[in-house]
Amino acid sequence: MSTACPPVASKLPDVGVTVFSVMTRLAVEHGAINLAQGFPDFDCDPALVASVTAHMKQGNNQYAPMPGVLALREAIAAAVARAQGATYDPATEITITSGATEALFCAIAAFVNPGDEVVIVEPCYDSYVPVVRLNGGRPVFVTLRYPDYRIDWDDMRRAVSSRTRMVILNTPHNPSGQVLARADLDQLAAIVERTPALVLSDEVYEHIVFDGRAHCSVCAIPSLAARSCVVGSFGKTFHTTGWKVGYVAAPAPLAAEIQRIHQFVTFATHTPTQLAYAEALRARDPYRGVGAFYQRKRDLFLSLLRGSRFRPIPSQGTYFQLLDYSAITGERDHDFAMRLLRERLVASIPTSAFLYASDAPPVLRFCFAKKDDTLERAAERLRAV
Ligand code: PMP
Ligand code: GLN
């Protein structure tokens, strides 16, 4: 562009392009196997594609209602009631968003005011902190400590105060794969009980839990449900991360505030996709054993890594596996991830990308939402390190 652009002050001066975009770009440039950004390298159910296509051909191509297609909101409310025993009114308490990322953005923008403290469990998904800061909030971190990545509830008790506007949780947890138990959530309920804190619970991997565990949502505990926004995403469950449809379930007064923001972020989400998901959720087994499906992939990846110098940290859910590389090198995680990419042609994510207040341990994150053949080729390269 030849004419001069007026200077602007960045609202997020410390933020670059996300690590997921950077690693995927580098993986493509180097021709590396991409176990970095979390997305499947296999296709979704063709019946789901046929269903979206059919809705398009039937002329369902105009704006959806601002809070989402009612049939989908009803299907979500029914699924949450079945799984968690929580009751949400589909008319007023469920909002469909353009991905969980939009739901998180709207919930934070709706409730966090300048100067408010927001307690964030780190390592954390990369959108939370920038959005809190964009709204003038002050992150206060509770660190999941390597190697077991459990929440220390005494740390949480110390972090939460009358200044806390929101606590942001994520279970099953990206990147550690840890799953909170009901006893954990009881601890949280006791901690926030006499505070004005809301809870924003990112549960996008709710259906990807392993070894007989059940996902326990914050909404299963009535005192937490009353102050919580629960965020989900269909992208993870249906192998359709590119369709970007998520949702947030929250009590009516909170949902109304979220919708005030949502209507000016996207107004409404893609109509034919919502109609197709509504149909899929009405099926007898809507989640088609996605937990067992990914447990098999996790176990395959782990068995292929046997004999390598990487040490797996147990993953209880999500489609991520952390690998400790301290037996290989003393390099920092970012440096080692870059070397692994360039020299061994395997892309991963350094966990420092999810950390703000603490030093990164010698751990990289690998996504196993990949074809068996991809996992086999990647593991062969990792075994040679
Ligand atoms: N939260 C977590 C923990 C995630 O891993 C992701 C994955 N991208 C998201 C939110 C965002 O989900 P979506 O793609 O539906 O925006
Ligand atoms: N959630 C995905 C991950 O953790 C990536 C999402 C994104 O690229 N924004 O890898």
Side-chain angles (χ1 to χ4, degrees):
M1 205 158 280
S2 56
T3 49
C5 168
V8 288
S10 175
K11 287 194 162 187
L12 292 172
D14 305 329
V15 170
V17 175
T18 80
V19 67
F20 308 116
S21 310
V22 169
M23 285 314 233
T24 289
R25 181 177 53 77
L26 288 174
V28 172
E29 275 172 22
H30 286 78
I33 300 175
N34 189 1
L35 304 192
Q37 190 177 20
F39 65 89
D41 73 344
F42 45 83
D43 207 358
C44 65
D45 183 351
L48 196 56
V49 176
S51 174
V52 177
T53 310
H55 285 295
M56 287 179 170
K57 287 187 173 156
Q58 284 156 24
N60 291 309
N61 297 309
Q62 308 310 326
Y63 293 127
M66 181 274 281
V69 165
L70 184 59
L72 180 56
R73 288 182 280 144
E74 287 171 344
I76 292 168
V80 172
R82 266 196 314 275
Q84 305 292 339
T87 311
Y88 287 100
D89 179 351
T92 56
E93 301 190 309
I94 309 265
T95 309
I96 309 299
T97 55
S98 299
T101 307
E102 198 225 334
L104 294 162
F105 182 93
C106 293
I108 295 167
F111 305 118
V112 175
N113 288 296
D116 284 347
E117 291 189 0
V118 178
V119 174
I120 299 179
V121 176
E122 73 161 18
C124 59
Y125 182 58
D126 68 342
S127 83
Y128 308 162
V129 172
V131 180
V132 165
R133 291 200 169 129
L134 210 47
N135 287 282
R138 229 172 54 73
V140 173
F141 293 100
V142 169
T143 300
L144 301 181
R145 287 199 201 87
Y146 161 86
D148 60 359
Y149 292 94
R150 304 299 307 165
I151 293 187
D152 180 330
W153 291 103
D154 289 329
D155 285 352
M156 181 64 83
R157 201 167 288 112
R158 280 189 286 274
V160 172
S161 74
S162 57
R163 294 183 300 281
T164 307
R165 173 72 281 190
M166 182 179 268
V167 177
I168 305 183
L169 284 186
N170 171 213
T171 179
H173 182 256
N174 175 9
S176 74
Q178 290 299 305
V179 173
L180 293 181
R182 195 187 165 98
D184 289 304
L185 299 178
D186 286 337
Q187 297 254 24
L188 177 68
I191 291 170
V192 295
E193 199 178 13
R194 269 182 274 282
T195 77
L198 302 175
V199 174
L200 176 56
S201 188
D202 179 345
E203 303 182 7
V204 299
Y205 299 101
E206 62 190 313
H207 299 293
I208 309 179
V209 290
F210 310 139
D211 308 318
R213 278 184 190 78
H215 166 68
C216 184
S217 171
V218 293
C219 73
I221 294 170
S223 70
L224 283 180
R227 58 170 76 221
S228 292
C229 306
V230 181
V231 171
S233 171
F234 295 104
K236 322 292 171 186
T237 310
F238 290 101
H239 315 311
T240 47
T241 60
W243 292 5
K244 295 298 290 188
V245 180
Y247 67 89
V248 48
L254 301 183
E257 292 306 320
I258 290 170
Q259 288 177 14
R260 272 188 221 259
I261 310 273
H262 163 72
Q263 65 186 337
F264 299 124
V265 176
T266 58
F267 178 69
T269 294
H270 192 253
T271 307
T273 310
Q274 291 191 62
L275 291 164
Y277 282 139
E279 248 165 50
L281 287 192
R282 281 197 296 270
R284 204 155 57 83
D285 175 20
Y287 305 117
R288 291 162 210 268
V290 67
F293 172 83
Y294 277 122
Q295 182 173 322
R296 194 194 67 78
K297 294 236 175 249
R298 176 201 63 176
D299 292 345
L300 172 68
F301 189 46
L302 290 178
S303 71
L304 292 166
L305 286 172
R306 237 171 257 142
S308 88
R309 289 192 292 162
F310 287 95
R311 187 178 65 81
I313 292 177
S315 171
Q316 304 174 338
T318 75
Y319 44 50
F320 301 115
Q321 176 65 56
L322 293 184
L323 296 178
D324 178 316
Y325 61 81
S326 55
I328 299 169
T329 172
E331 282 165 288
R332 290 192 357 212
D333 67 344
H334 181 266
D335 298 341
F336 183 51
M338 296 311 288
R339 195 160 66 81
L340 204 57
L341 195 150
R342 288 201 191 93
E343 293 178 7
R344 305 291 176 164
L345 299 178
V346 178
S348 60
I349 300 283
T351 59
S352 51
F354 302 81
L355 290 168
Y356 295 82
S358 49
D359 291 336
V363 169
L364 299 179
R365 189 197 79 176
F366 295 81
C367 173
F368 54 79
K370 305 293 165 191
K371 292 175 196 146
D372 290 0
D373 167 65
T374 309
L375 295 174
E376 279 157 18
R377 287 184 301 116
E380 190 181 336
R381 295 177 189 185
L382 295 175
R383 279 198 309 272
V385 179

